[in-house]
Amino acid sequence: MDGYSFELITGPMSCGKTEELLRRIRRCIIAKKKVKVISPDVDTRAKGDYIESRNGLWLDAIKVKHAIQILAHVKPDDEVVAIDELQFFDPNIVKVVSKLMNEGKKVIGTGLELDFKAEPFGSMPELMCIATKVDKLHAVCMKCGCEHATRTQRLIDGKPADKNSPLIMIGGDETYEARCIKCYELPDSLHDKQRRNLKILPFSFR
Ligand SMILES: [Zn+2]
């Protein structure tokens, strides 16, 4: 039995999530399964109606703004539903994925687990809980080159972005890079807050 499941592929930016999703979709297509591919239309990377991995692979995808709209696109004979960039969907995505699973579909999804502040991104915590299989991929750290990058650093003009910058920036000139925990730099205002707290504390931790 291949349905009634939800495989979640997660990790930081550039860890190969979409590449892995495309690999699994291709296997389903080889097995002659009916596959529907969905992508949120807030995704700033993909411009057209397709999903694309960083190594240039791509597949046609239906762009959807609200999670609930996914249900209208999935037909009774669709066996596999692939959803890219789950972190960008509204909270209804948890109910939508549950419903598809309960209907016997095989759902395969990707999502960033942490945002640039290293906080859980969107509905990813709930999605990890309802997933029947979770794969956490690591990226290569862009600073030290180790293969254990689990965080996504947002840089604006080459400096770590402020904590208060919007979660999703569209058309900005910011860049992102995967970093390991050692090389990840907390956004500026967090540093300021920590410095303030250190001054207020009557003692230091030793
Ligand atoms: Zn590093």
Side-chain angles (χ1 to χ4, degrees), residues 99-117:
K99 185 170 163 53
L100 293 171
M101 278 169 82
N102 290 338
E103 286 172 356
K105 314 285 187 206
K106 172 180 177 150
V107 183
I108 317 173
T110 69
L112 273 178
E113 55 186 340
L114 300 172
D115 61 23
F116 73 96
K117 294 178 275 186

Side-chain angles (χ1 to χ4, degrees), residues 141-142 144 146 148-151 178-185:
C141 174
M142 296 299 283
C144 74
C146 80
H148 309 290
T150 53
R151 298 196 172 171
R179 290 202 185 174
C180 68
I181 293 177
K182 183 165 59 75
C183 296
Y184 173 80
E185 293 170 71

Side-chain angles (χ1 to χ4, degrees), residues 2-7 97 100-101 104-108 131-132:
D2 210 16
Y4 299 98
S5 61
F6 171 36
E7 299 176 4
V97 171
L100 293 171
M101 278 169 82
K105 314 285 187 206
K106 172 180 177 150
V107 183
I108 317 173
T132 51

Side-chain angles (χ1 to χ4, degrees), residues 178-194:
R179 290 202 185 174
C180 68
I181 293 177
K182 183 165 59 75
C183 296
Y184 173 80
E185 293 170 71
L186 283 170
D188 268 335
S189 52
L190 286 183
H191 279 307
D192 292 344
K193 199 175 157 200
Q194 281 182 334

Side-chain angles (χ1 to χ4, degrees), residues 24-39:
R24 294 190 196 180
I25 293 170
R26 282 180 203 283
R27 288 174 69 90
C28 294
I29 292 169
I30 291 166
K32 298 191 167 39
K33 296 210 184 301
K34 285 209 73 179
V35 184
K36 192 118 303 163
V37 186
I38 310 274
S39 166

Side-chain angles (χ1 to χ4, degrees), residues 21-84:
L21 178 69
L22 291 172
R23 190 185 74 85
R24 294 190 196 180
I25 293 170
R26 282 180 203 283
R27 288 174 69 90
C28 294
I29 292 169
I30 291 166
K32 298 191 167 39
K33 296 210 184 301
K34 285 209 73 179
V35 184
K36 192 118 303 163
V37 186
I38 310 274
S39 166
D41 77 354
V42 287
D43 184 5
T44 53
R45 177 154 45 103
K47 304 263 186 308
D49 291 343
Y50 56 88
I51 58 174
E52 185 180 16
S53 69
R54 280 162 207 281
N55 64 356
L57 299 172
W58 64 277
L59 259 181
D60 287 331
I62 299 164
K63 291 267 173 175
V64 162
K65 200 166 190 71
H66 304 289
I68 204 83
Q69 293 172 318
I70 294 172
L71 298 174
H73 289 288
V74 177
K75 303 293 174 238
D77 60 343
D78 284 327
E79 295 162 280
V80 180
V81 183
I83 313 173
D84 200 22

